[in-house]
Structures are given as C-alpha cells and as structure tokens.
Amino acid sequence: MWGSSRRVLQEAVTSQVRCFSQTACKNTVVVERWWKVPLAKEGQSPRLHPRRHRIYKLVEAPNLVQKEKFMDLILTQTVEKLGGRGDTVRVKKGFGRSKLLPQGLAVYPSPENKEMFDEEMRILREGNLEDRVQTRTGLLTVDYLKRSHLKINQWPSGEYTLTKEIACRQFARKLGVIVPLHALTLPDEPIKDVGEYWCDVTVNGIDTIRVPVEVLPYEDPSAEAQRMLKKLRLEAEAVEASPEKAGPEMATPDDEAAASPEPLPEQNGQPTENRPKDKD
C-alpha cells in the first residue's frame, strides 16, 4: 500500500515538473559572461573565479521592454519654456498626462494630427501676410534682436567695405543668430568708414527689426596686443578716476615768521647762550 501510494505521488510530481519545464518563460533573456572562462583539461571542470565569472552582459532580450519615462506630444497652444503651436516636444509622461493633455494644450502625435499641423504650417508660410502668425522661436528671436547691438571690427586691409556676407558671419559669431542673406538689408550707401550704422533683419518673412551696427577700428587679435591694449585702457581709466593733483602751496609771510625761531637776546655784543660764564 505504501509503495503504491509513493509511486503515484512520484508520478504526479514528475508529470508536474515536466509540465513546468515545457512552459516557455515570458522573461527569457540571453546573457554572456563578461570574462571568458579558461579552457580546462579533458575530464576536469573549468576553474571559475568566485566574482569575475559571475558578471554577465545582456545579449538578447526580445520580451524585455523597458518602460519609457518620456512621451512625444504636439502642442496646440504656446506653452512657456516648452514650445509653440505645432511643435513636437518630448516631456515626462506624468507632466503630459496630468497637465498638457487634460487642459487641451497638446495632442498625441498621430499621423492624422501630424498631417493637420503640417498643412496648417504650410498655409501660414505660403498664405497671405495678414494671415501669417509668428512662431514661438520667431518671437524669441525678435525680442533678442531688439535688445542686440552688433559690433564689427575692420580688417587691416587698405579698402574695407561691409557686405552682407560679412554681416551674416558676424551675426552668427557674436550674437549666435543665423541670418540668411535674403533676410538682411543694409543701407544703400556702402559702409567703409568707422562709425555707427544700422541693418534690417526680417524674421520668417513677417517681422522686420532694425539692429544698430557699430564699425570699430582694427584690433590685433594676438595675446600680446590684447594685453597691451588692456593695460592702456586700465591706465586711462585710472587717470580719469584720480582727482587732479594740486600744485605746491605758496608760503605766506606770516607762515614764514611763525616757522622761524625767535632771535636770542644779546648782551655786550654776544648772545646770551655763547657768553662766557663769570668766574667766582
């Protein structure tokens, strides 16, 4: 009796284990040892390092999907420090699902939504000037140019003329703004001398901003020349800041009389101090 029951229990456990072993695991991954195991002699097991050979690197994980912390959305309105209407932004899932989507500030970037916003942007760019709307980046650029002042140094060559190519390079180098040639307008008269001028910059074909331009004399960019120029500037500032030195004060007769010692009384034609003492 005991033998038969034991055999039945063993068969049940064996069948259950066999069933579990044939079930595919959903989190199956393929790994590889980071450090290769040295080959062992025939009939011997390889010698494994207690720590080094326990480090693995992931080779394949078809069913392992890492959760994304961010999501892409298309803004329907201008959001401060994020973007303008039609911009595709990447935000955290919590911020997008709790604020942007419920308030109607953004939508999911589905093919239909992308096509709709692309068509809207095309109409704004190619439509009438009255119907165009400046983008958020354009508004920031306009505000930045209104507060900008461009300084350009002349070259040491004999003849110097400020052209559109030179002005565009200086905009990119000194102000960090990429200005196309067709968006820049210079005065009709050629700029050749040192002085203050202006130029017009058109942003996205909508807003035109007049930026002051100052042409300065040539400065040697070498380090020694810059040090000498800085030294001269500091000396000039020190001279301007220091008060004018007054000349030496003229001594008056009263001051001279007060400063000179009083003459000693004379007795018998000799001063009292030099007169010999009387003998007793």
Side-chain angles (χ1 to χ4, degrees):
M1 179 177 177
W2 289 104
S4 61
S5 61
R6 184 175 182 180
R7 185 172 60 253
V8 172
L9 180 61
Q10 185 176 2
E11 291 178 357
V13 173
T14 305
S15 62
Q16 188 177 6
V17 171
R18 186 182 299 113
C19 179
F20 281 127
S21 63
Q22 292 177 356
T23 303
C25 183
K26 295 183 179 181
N27 295 328
T28 302
V29 295
V30 180
V31 296
E32 182 183 0
R33 292 186 189 272
W34 189 272
W35 303 94
K36 294 184 179 180
V37 179
L39 297 177
K41 295 182 179 180
E42 186 177 358
Q44 296 182 0
S45 58
R47 299 179 59 181
L48 300 178
H49 194 272
R51 293 184 299 275
R52 178 179 297 179
H53 293 142
R54 294 177 181 270
I55 301 175
Y56 301 90
K57 59 182 178 180
L58 184 64
V59 177
E60 183 181 358
N63 298 326
L64 183 60
V65 180
Q66 297 181 356
K67 294 184 178 181
E68 290 280 345
K69 294 183 179 180
F70 297 90
M71 63 187 307
D72 294 334
L73 296 174
I74 301 178
L75 297 178
T76 58
Q77 300 179 20
T78 300
V79 180
E80 187 178 358
K81 299 182 180 180
L82 194 59
R85 179 180 174 85
D87 295 341
T88 302
V89 296
R90 190 173 181 84
V91 297
K92 291 185 177 181
K93 286 187 175 181
F95 178 73
R97 292 173 178 172
S98 63
K99 182 176 181 180
L100 298 181
L101 291 174
Q103 297 182 9
L105 300 177
V107 293
Y108 287 104
S110 61
E112 296 80 8
N113 292 335
K114 288 184 178 180
E115 183 179 357
M116 181 184 65
F117 280 102
D118 291 343
E119 182 68 17
E120 180 180 342
M121 295 302 295
R122 186 187 66 81
I123 294 175
L124 290 177
R125 292 193 184 97
E126 300 178 0
N128 298 328
L129 184 61
E130 294 79 8
D131 299 335
R132 296 181 185 178
V133 179
Q134 191 67 267
T135 61
R136 178 178 179 272
T137 306
L139 293 176
L140 294 177
T141 305
V142 169
D143 183 61
Y144 177 70
L145 291 176
K146 288 181 179 179
R147 297 180 284 104
S148 300
H149 184 85
L150 182 62
K151 296 182 180 180
I152 302 176
N153 293 95
Q154 288 183 336
W155 286 101
S157 59
E159 296 183 359
Y160 176 83
T161 303
L162 181 62
T163 61
K164 285 188 176 183
E165 291 78 5
I166 297 176
C168 291
R169 287 198 299 268
Q170 295 299 323
F171 266 104
R173 183 179 302 175
K174 296 186 177 180
L175 299 181
V177 180
I178 305 299
V179 180
L181 292 176
H182 66 271
L184 181 66
T185 304
L186 294 177
D188 297 334
E189 299 180 358
I191 300 176
K192 297 182 178 181
D193 301 327
V194 176
E196 296 183 357
Y197 303 92
W198 56 267
C199 67
D200 290 336
V201 180
T202 305
V203 181
N204 295 334
I206 302 175
D207 298 324
T208 301
I209 301 93
R210 176 157 293 187
V211 181
V213 178
E214 184 178 359
V215 180
L216 303 174
Y218 171 76
E219 293 183 2
D220 191 352
S222 62
E224 184 177 359
Q226 292 294 333
R227 286 196 297 268
M228 292 296 297
L229 184 61
K230 183 178 180 181
K231 183 178 179 180
L232 293 176
R233 288 176 180 174
L234 293 177
E235 291 179 356
E237 293 176 359
V239 171
E240 293 177 358
S242 61
E244 297 181 358
K245 295 183 179 180
E249 297 181 358
M250 300 296 295
T252 59
D254 298 338
D255 297 339
E256 293 180 356
S260 61
E262 296 181 359
L264 296 174
E266 296 183 359
Q267 186 175 2
N268 298 329
Q270 293 183 354
T272 307
E273 183 178 1
N274 298 330
R275 184 173 57 82
K277 297 182 179 180
D278 298 334
K279 295 182 179 180
D280 295 334

